[in-house]
């Protein structure tokens, strides 16, 4: 008996030694979460991890890494520019769908969802539209019907293929605007009044009964400017609450998440509180455009690690705060970064005086930064009871 047990143990030892020396088949390898992609790790929580896509980079033969990372790391994509009105209808009455169609087709091939961005925004409007309004050849009655037609045309074309639509983007002012009292800002409010917001959601719903319809804005990551009358998050909260009370078909609030390491920003509890309060209205939420930029001081530009390291760490810490807060709220459906590499980021082109950059999770050579590792860790070391599977909301009628 003893001998048989000893022999059996010996056989196991020999077999184990063999296994240790050989490369195990993939199925036998222990699961290593750190080797998983962001999209795979997000899936554990039902969370979609996304990126904005620069279609020029995606099509560039010299940029294979760009395409690979889009495909491998993300489960939802957003057009950084090509679904905006100036791209879709550069000439009145003539739509150019090519780049937007390409994004949707790529997403389908990659098994990704699409966030539609954007149906109504005061920026990147076609020149024929803004010129026509400026010279009086388009009056406000016609403008309203042009807006309705645009929303209907675009939302109908992609009906069934868009997961979340940013129906209205950045409709609300910031405390640093003039006048400083929060108000509905921009081209559409000036010409049509704030009622265009409700109209836009109703028109979008009529054209696409299947998409989740979002209001999307920046500087709404947390409540608490101290003065509720000047708190943009509170203004947006009151706005969407009012829309719901009037039966407007809004499904969610997108919090863009454009942050900078030079500012005070927030902690996880503040951000989670904001997401919980929107969820309390019955709305989904999403982080839709996350990046965390830094000042490119002379030292940073000269490669001084004492100046670079704290910025990379602060950037990563802010990605962590937003992602951890999102994980804590089951109605936070997706976490999208606004470009994933410093090689193709809107930040340096927009903030050049003083220069800013380092805003994304990969460097210019497609090396993952601290922020990428932090996102991974957040997705790995999270679970019940405080991090639960995402809700699967149905579009509101
Ligand atoms: O297409 C032209 C190109 O023909 C020309 O050669 C080039 C020269 O500058 O400009 C190109 O257009 C640029 C366009 O991006 C496409 O690259 C515009 O100048 C540039 O202003 C535009 O910037 C975009 C910006 O929205 C416009 O406001 C950024 O890429 C885009 O990341 C940014 O995205 C917005 C979201 O939609 C809404 N939330 C804020 C976010 C960041 O601003």
């Amino acid at each position: 008996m003893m001998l048989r047990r000893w022999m059996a143990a010996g056989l196991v030892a020999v077999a184990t030694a063999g296994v240790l020396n050989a490369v195990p088949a993939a199925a036998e390898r222990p699961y290593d979460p750190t080797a998983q992609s962001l999209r795979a790790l997000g899936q554990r929580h039902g969370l979609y991890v996304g990126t904005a896509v620069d279609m020029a980079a995606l099509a560039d033969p010299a940029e294979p890494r760009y395409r690979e990372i889009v495909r491998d790391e993300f489960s939802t994509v957003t057009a950084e520019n090509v679904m905006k009105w100036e791209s879709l209808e550069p000439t009145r009455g003539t739509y150019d769908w090519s780049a937007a169609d390409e994004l949707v087709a790529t997403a389908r091939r990659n098994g990704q969802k699409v966030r539609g961005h954007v149906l109504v925004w005061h920026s990147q409007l076609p020149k024929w539209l803004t010129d026509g309004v400026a010279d009086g050849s388009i009056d406000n009655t016609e403008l309203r019907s042009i807006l309705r037609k645009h929303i209907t045309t675009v939302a109908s074309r992609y009906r069934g293929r868009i997961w979340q639509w940013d129906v209205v983007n950045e409709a609300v002012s910031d405390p640093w605007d003039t006048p400083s009292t929060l108000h509905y800002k921009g081209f559409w409010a000036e010409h049509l009044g704030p009622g265009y917001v409700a109209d836009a959601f109703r028109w979008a719903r009529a054209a696409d009964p299947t998409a989740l319809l979002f209001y999307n804005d920046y500087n709404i990551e947390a409540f608490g400017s101290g003065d509720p009358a000047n708190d943009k998050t509170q203004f947006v909260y009151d706005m969407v609450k009012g829309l719901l009370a009037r039966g407007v078909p809004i499904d969610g609030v997108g919090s863009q998440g454009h942050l900078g390491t030079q500012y005070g920003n927030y902690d996880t509890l503040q951000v989670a509180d904001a997401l919980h309060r929107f969820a309390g209205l019955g709305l989904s939420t999403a982080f839709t455009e996350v990046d965390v930029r830094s000042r490119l001081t002379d030292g940073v530009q000269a490669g001084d690690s004492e100046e670079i390291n704290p910025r990379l760490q602060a950037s990563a810490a802010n990605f962590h705060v937003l992602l951890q807060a999102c994980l804590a709220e089951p109605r936070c459906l997706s976490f999208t970064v606004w470009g994933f590499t410093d090689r193709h980021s809107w930040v340096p082109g927009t903030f050049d005086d003083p220069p800013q950059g380092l805003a994304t999770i990969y460097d210019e050579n497609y090396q993952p930064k601290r922020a990428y590792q932090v996102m991974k860790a957040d997705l790995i070391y999270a679970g019940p009871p405080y991090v639960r599977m995402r809700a699967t909301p149905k579009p509101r009628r």
Side-chain angles (χ1 to χ4, degrees), residues 80-81 84 117 121 124 169-170 256 258 289 338 346:
E80 185 173 358
N81 285 298
K84 292 171 181 173
H117 179 81
W121 191 25
Q124 291 177 284
N169 192 41
E170 301 173 11
Q256 294 184 1
H258 291 294
E289 306 186 12
W338 204 242
W346 69 291

Side-chain angles (χ1 to χ4, degrees), residues 52 54 56 78-82 84 86-87 117-118 121 123-124 166 169-170 216-218 256 258 288-289 291 338-339 345-347 349-351:
D54 173 343
T78 308
E80 185 173 358
N81 285 298
V82 301
K84 292 171 181 173
E86 71 170 5
S87 303
H117 179 81
V118 50
W121 191 25
S123 186
Q124 291 177 284
D166 287 335
N169 192 41
E170 301 173 11
N216 192 49
D217 214 330
Y218 60 88
Q256 294 184 1
H258 291 294
T288 55
E289 306 186 12
D291 55 16
W338 204 242
S345 163
W346 69 291
V347 168
T350 304
F351 301 95

